[in-house]
Amino acid sequence: VGGVELETLAAEFGTPLFVYDEAHLRSRCRESVSAFGDGVAYAAKAFLCQEMARLVEAERMRLDVATGGELHVALHAGFPAEGIIFHGNNKSEDELRQALAAKVGRIVIDSFDELERLERLIQPTRPQPVWIRVTPGIEAHTHTSVRTGGEDSKFGFGLAAGAAAEAVQRIERNPNLALVGLHMHIGSQIFETTPFEQAIAVMAELLLPLGLPELCVGGGLGVAYVEGEVAPGITEWGRRVKAAAQAAGIPESVKISAEPGRAIAATAALTVYQVGTIKHVPGIRTYVAVDGGMSDNPRPVLYESGYEAFLPRAAGARRELAARVVGKHCESGDILVSDAWLPEDVMPGDLLATPVTGAYGYAMASTYNKVPRPAVVFVANGQARLVVRRETYGDLVALDF
Ligand SMILES: Cc1ncc(COP(=O)(O)O)c(C=O)c1O
């Protein structure tokens, strides 16, 4: 990866280890900018650390943050506030105050309660540019936990009962808020562009009479995790989105933007583990236990997500052993790869890698069972640099009294 052997990285930084190919991250960012133009944002929730924020800024993308914590990390890394889009379905007063004080580029208003909080907090110094998050009533074909565009959603203002239109009127009456656009996000890990096209047609009905200059279609583009899956690329997604906007009568002057997270970060990284225990259960299956698990990748447990696995010492070897790759946590659900194929000679001490772990892996990591979170390295041109150090046992008691 990036010109460095995974064995070398494991020896230097230990395992489990998240390894990001920096050139891959940068090329996905560049693809996004060329597909959508300079308003496109990276969705920080997929993976954020200070170096990631700096990389995103260097690649001229904006940054979507969804909590005060993500906002803090971005600002601390020096990300310019005017490039930040502040999301969240339950922004607190403190978070709104933090965003207003920093002068973030866009606040995306998600509910009437939030609007009320914002109306109370906003100072008549300069109007705060805002978007409204709208649920267009389109169901994307993806896991129910990451489906967000239907009417039955905790996010945003619905169209059917007129909530979105009412929010528009209320914001337009407030001289301290500048409504500059609409936002939608219909879900995540979506393999088809059709739901985006349908949702854009619905959004156009609200956008056009208002003459608003911006429409953000959110994130959600899927990536292939296992053999046989195929996802459209960012370029194709951008082309389809633009064509759908044109077909819906949205003029070229309207800035169409997006917020890919997974499509930028997922395929840029893999996780390297070390195999510790192998258990053959005759007639049932083989368990291969590694030194991480659901604490560094909860996606298999949360969404039954599939992954591939391989041994870096034999990356091109035939994988003929059906095995279940599990972690070291105290529950049977602690599965990393439910139906993996590995070389027959896998043994304790081997390194084992799972590709496509760059999004919602480290970002969702926990210290369950007091397993310290892994380190993260960026690799480029034969050089690796530590961007997040491994958590220590000392860190595990740092918050305790
Ligand atoms: C508002 C918003 N934008 C963008 C994203 C990023 O989605 P993805 O990583 O699927 O591209 C999310 C994910 O939940 C989101 O809620």
Side-chain angles (χ1 to χ4, degrees), residues 43 45 64 87 133 183 185 187-189 219-221 259-262 360:
K45 67 206 72 175
D64 141 7
H87 282 286
R133 178 159 178 172
H183 174 275
H185 172 75
S188 196
Q189 184 58 355
L221 183 66
E259 299 159 343
R262 188 190 311 273
Y360 306 105

Side-chain angles (χ1 to χ4, degrees), residues 31 34-35 221 232-240:
E31 190 181 352
S34 101
L221 183 66
I234 293 171
T235 305
E236 168 75 357
W237 183 45
R239 204 176 56 72
R240 296 287 186 110

Side-chain angles (χ1 to χ4, degrees), residues 128-152:
Q128 169 65 47
V130 298
W131 290 344
I132 291 180
R133 178 159 178 172
V134 177
T135 42
I138 300 294
E139 296 288 0
H141 297 134
T142 186
H143 192 281
T144 47
S145 300
V146 292
R147 223 183 266 168
T148 53
E151 284 285 339
D152 183 3

Side-chain angles (χ1 to χ4, degrees), residues 173-197:
R173 280 201 300 270
N174 190 324
N176 299 325
L177 297 174
L179 180 63
V180 292
L182 300 182
H183 174 275
M184 67 183 219
H185 172 75
I186 57 174
S188 196
Q189 184 58 355
I190 301 169
F191 282 127
E192 316 152 291
T193 53
T194 316
F196 290 98
E197 292 161 11

Side-chain angles (χ1 to χ4, degrees), residues 37-75:
D38 63 7
V40 65
Y42 165 66
K45 67 206 72 175
F47 168 67
L48 181 66
C49 65
Q50 297 196 82
E51 273 303 279
M52 184 64 189
R54 291 178 194 121
L55 182 150
V56 169
E57 189 203 350
E59 294 302 335
R60 299 187 301 111
M61 286 187 85
R62 295 186 180 184
L63 196 68
D64 141 7
V65 300
T67 63
E70 288 180 356
L71 177 59
H72 175 77
V73 172
L75 293 173

Side-chain angles (χ1 to χ4, degrees), residues 190-234:
I190 301 169
F191 282 127
E192 316 152 291
T193 53
T194 316
F196 290 98
E197 292 161 11
Q198 291 167 340
I200 288 164
V202 172
M203 296 290 286
E205 288 175 33
L206 182 64
L207 185 91
L208 290 176
L210 297 170
L212 295 174
E214 296 174 4
L215 172 65
C216 178
V217 302
L221 183 66
V223 301
Y225 282 89
V226 293
E227 222 176 297
E229 279 180 341
V230 186
I234 293 171

